[in-house]
Amino acid sequence: MDHSREEKDNSNDFLDDSEDAMDLLSDHKLDKYVLRLYIANYNQKSLSALENIQKLCEERLHGRYELEVIDIYQQPERLEEDQIFAIPTLIKELPPPFKKLIGDLTDTEKLIIALAL
């Protein structure tokens, strides 16, 4: 019996090109982003930050993100939980690494780099 031929035939057993395997690979690339934006009473700077992050998320992460908006006047207890000292502040919870960005989020290039988009 020719073992080299048998080994060649069995080598394809390790290559899985099924739809399930391809779905797993594509899911790995499509990590879901979990973001929290702290704002203050929908003032101009807060609204600008909200518009900027929503636009970027729709362009880069369409259907792959959760954005929670927290008004510090409505939920002041959340400030201490996430150690928020300035407004607006964006927190990237997932995917790792954890990031905290402060400001109106107008510098799109900086935002893309910081969020690893």
Side-chain angles (χ1 to χ4, degrees), residues 25-41:
L25 286 173
S26 64
D27 285 348
H28 180 67
K29 289 189 290 187
L30 300 176
D31 288 329
K32 188 166 192 167
Y33 277 67
V34 177
L35 307 166
R36 263 190 317 279
L37 179 64
Y38 283 85
I39 61 171
N41 223 13

Side-chain angles (χ1 to χ4, degrees), residues 27-36 53 56-58 60-68 90-99 101 111-117:
D27 285 348
H28 180 67
K29 289 189 290 187
L30 300 176
D31 288 329
K32 188 166 192 167
Y33 277 67
V34 177
L35 307 166
R36 263 190 317 279
I53 194 62
L56 184 64
C57 285
E58 280 302 308
R60 299 276 182 137
L61 301 170
H62 185 74
R64 300 186 300 125
Y65 74 96
E66 290 177 20
L67 176 62
E68 180 183 10
L90 178 69
I91 292 178
K92 181 183 86 159
E93 186 84 22
L94 292 173
F98 178 90
K99 291 277 185 174
L101 307 167
L111 196 53
I112 289 169
I113 292 167
L115 296 176
L117 300 176

Side-chain angles (χ1 to χ4, degrees), residues 2 9 22-23 25 29 36 51 55 63-64 81 83 96 101 106 108:
D2 186 358
D9 291 341
M22 294 301 147
D23 287 344
L25 286 173
K29 289 189 290 187
R36 263 190 317 279
E51 288 172 8
K55 181 180 177 200
R64 300 186 300 125
E81 286 176 32
Q83 299 178 352
L101 307 167
T106 54
T108 305

Side-chain angles (χ1 to χ4, degrees), residues 35-82:
L35 307 166
R36 263 190 317 279
L37 179 64
Y38 283 85
I39 61 171
N41 223 13
Y42 292 95
N43 65 25
Q44 188 56 44
K45 198 170 186 180
S46 292
L47 286 174
S48 177
L50 179 58
E51 288 172 8
N52 292 332
I53 194 62
Q54 283 178 325
K55 181 180 177 200
L56 184 64
C57 285
E58 280 302 308
E59 289 172 0
R60 299 276 182 137
L61 301 170
H62 185 74
R64 300 186 300 125
Y65 74 96
E66 290 177 20
L67 176 62
E68 180 183 10
V69 180
I70 300 163
D71 184 332
I72 63 166
Y73 291 106
Q74 301 290 325
Q75 301 177 59
E77 69 281 358
R78 299 285 302 266
L79 288 169
E80 191 174 329
E81 286 176 32
D82 281 329

